[in-house]
């Protein structure tokens, strides 16, 4: 099949449905060598990407083992998962201990104060955490899987890396804000928006985000917002932009802590942004 051809006929859709689909299609993987999972969506069962199974080198496995031993010692000796879930709170000394170990900067390069471990070692740490305490797993993994560290590692400017990575590696908690009331799987319907100021130096952010894991404890948060449409091939295209937002900025409010059955110590919140001034360099 021609990769460029639309997979779904959008001609009979309403404007909102078409916009949502076009946004999703624009993000579609374009590489010819599809990942195994992407292939499944296209009806392919191609095991080439999975074999031979990528084993760790001795060096990276040893690095991971050393970290996991220290992490396991803290979990066993300093944390009580039943108490954390029963009280709905993670004690601050536990957070401090994990921060001293480097558990908030597992994949961040040592240049920025992190441990510089591999993705596989990060996954091994998540497995160990998950076998012990779901609440700690959510804290640590939301911080560095969807929070500020990973997008900066992948796409951040040098200035952003220098400014934010040392903070989050040291244990300043980060969060991620995409979902809104009625906007979960369908980000094209997003209401939160950010308009540039007349001098172009800032954006003014307005909206309300739902279910932000770590949001009630975060110092910094990645926020998705609609920004003015851009022209592409003669058509105006809606834009969604990711901003790094300081939680102590004027106009940022945690208005509710959401509680989840089975993850009672999740620091998950509804966060409102009212005329929050975000510097352009935080895109
Ligand atoms: C514990 C927890 C933590 C979370 N943390 C965060 C966070 O940190 N930051 C954040 O932004 N969000 C967070 N979320 C929100 C989460 O990302 C959303 O719940 C998720 O995107 C789904 O959105 P929704 O709940 O609105 O469900 P909906 O979008 O309403 O979907 C409901 C069901 O319908 C299905 N569905 C939807 N559209 C289609 C379609 N077109 N075709 C077929 N099936 C469809 C879905 O698969 C799903 O089964 C969290 C949620 C939970 C439960």
């Amino acid at each position: 099949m021609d990769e460029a051809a639309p997979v779904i006929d959008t001609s009979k859709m309403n404007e909102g449905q078409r916009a949502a689909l076009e946004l999703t299609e624009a993000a579609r993987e374009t590489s010819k060598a599809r990942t195994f999972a992407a292939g499944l969506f296209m009806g392919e069962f191609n095991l080439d990407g999975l074999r031979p199974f990528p084993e760790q080198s001795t060096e990276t496995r040893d690095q991971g083992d050393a970290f996991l031993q220290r992490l396991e010692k803290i979990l066993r000796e300093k944390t009580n998962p039943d108490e954390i879930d029963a009280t709905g709170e993670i004690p601050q000394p536990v957070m401090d201990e994990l921060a001293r170990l480097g558990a908030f900067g597992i994949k961040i390069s040592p240049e920025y104060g992190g441990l510089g471990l591999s993705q596989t070692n990060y996954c091994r740490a998540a497995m160990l955490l998950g076998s012990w305490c779901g609440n700690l797993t959510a804290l640590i993994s939301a911080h560095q899987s969807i929070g500020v560290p990973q997008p900066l590692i992948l796409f951040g400017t040098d200035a952003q890396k220098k400014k934010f990575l040392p903070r989050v590696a040291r244990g300043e908690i980060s969060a991620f804000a995409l979902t809104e009331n009625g906007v979960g799987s369908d980000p094209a319907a997003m209401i939160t928006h950010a308009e540039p100021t007349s001098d172009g130096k800032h954006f003014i952010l307005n909206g309300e985000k739902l279910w932000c894991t770590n949001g009630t404890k975060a110092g910094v948060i990645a926020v998705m917002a609609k920004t003015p449409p851009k022209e592409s091939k003669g058509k105006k295209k809606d834009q969604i932009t990711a901003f790094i937002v300081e939680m102590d900025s004027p106009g940022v409010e945690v208005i509710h802590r959401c509680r989840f059955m089975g993850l009672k110590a999740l620091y998950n919140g509804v966060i409102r942004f009212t005329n929050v001034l975000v510097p352009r360099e935080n895109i």
Side-chain angles (χ1 to χ4, degrees):
M1 184 179 19
D2 176 6
E3 295 249 19
V7 178
I8 298 170
D9 176 14
T10 57
S11 61
K12 295 190 181 67
M13 292 181 173
N14 68 35
E15 205 184 318
Q17 287 170 327
R18 195 176 312 118
L21 204 83
E22 282 174 2
L23 200 76
T24 313
E25 287 293 321
R28 186 181 284 279
E29 193 175 29
T30 51
S31 156
K32 284 243 183 299
R34 283 197 190 96
T35 58
F36 172 72
L40 288 182
F41 282 97
M42 303 308 289
E44 296 167 7
F45 187 75
N46 183 355
L47 290 170
D48 290 352
L50 299 184
R51 290 192 305 220
F53 187 77
E55 298 291 348
Q56 288 193 286
S57 70
T58 313
E59 189 191 351
T60 58
R61 195 180 53 237
D62 288 351
Q63 287 169 347
D65 287 349
F67 173 67
L68 293 184
Q69 272 171 20
R70 295 201 298 275
L71 178 61
E72 186 166 2
K73 191 167 156 57
I74 292 178
L75 294 178
R76 289 194 182 283
E77 293 176 7
K78 305 270 172 75
T79 70
N80 181 339
D82 291 338
E83 192 182 303
I84 287 174
D85 208 56
T87 59
E89 299 295 338
I90 299 171
Q92 189 58 42
V94 170
M95 302 235 198
D96 295 343
E97 195 80 44
L98 290 168
R100 271 195 295 278
L101 176 71
F104 289 91
I106 296 174
K107 286 183 288 175
I108 295 174
S109 155
E111 184 188 348
Y112 302 112
L115 299 180
L117 295 181
S118 66
Q119 176 68 30
T120 302
N121 281 331
Y122 172 67
C123 294
R124 292 174 65 200
M127 280 163 54
L128 173 60
L129 281 158
S131 71
W132 187 256
C133 176
N135 292 295
L136 287 177
T137 314
L139 170 82
I140 300 273
S141 71
H143 168 74
Q144 51 205 316
S145 290
I146 57 175
V148 170
Q150 190 63 12
L152 284 197
I153 291 170
L154 293 175
F155 307 112
T157 63
D158 280 348
Q160 288 171 343
K161 288 178 184 172
K162 279 194 189 112
K163 180 169 180 189
F164 294 104
L165 288 181
R167 283 170 50 182
V168 291
R170 273 198 302 273
E172 180 171 345
I173 292 170
S174 75
F176 168 82
L178 170 70
T179 305
E180 299 176 9
N181 195 358
V183 181
S185 311
D186 181 14
M190 186 179 289
I191 305 292
T192 297
H193 58 100
E195 313 299 333
T197 51
S198 52
D199 63 6
K201 290 186 177 157
H202 292 83
F203 279 76
I204 300 172
L205 175 67
N206 279 287
E208 195 170 291
K209 294 292 186 178
L210 179 66
W211 288 343
C212 301
T213 299
N214 291 353
T216 65
K217 286 269 178 196
V220 68
I221 184 167
V223 182
M224 312 304 129
K226 280 206 164 160
T227 43
K230 282 188 180 159
E231 286 268 329
S232 167
K233 295 179 192 152
K235 277 175 76 181
K236 283 208 182 272
K237 286 257 179 201
D238 282 343
Q239 302 292 311
I240 294 178
T241 302
F243 294 92
I244 309 162
V245 178
E246 302 275 5
M247 286 295 286
D248 63 1
S249 309
V252 179
E253 286 168 275
V254 177
I255 58 171
H256 179 70
R257 179 172 171 189
C258 310
R259 296 288 186 168
F260 289 83
M261 189 167 68
L263 272 180
K264 291 188 184 143
L266 198 66
Y267 290 106
N268 185 294
V270 178
I271 302 179
R272 185 177 292 158
F273 303 90
T274 311
N275 293 327
V276 179
L277 211 55
V278 186
R280 176 177 281 276
E281 59 267 22
N282 283 20
I283 289 180

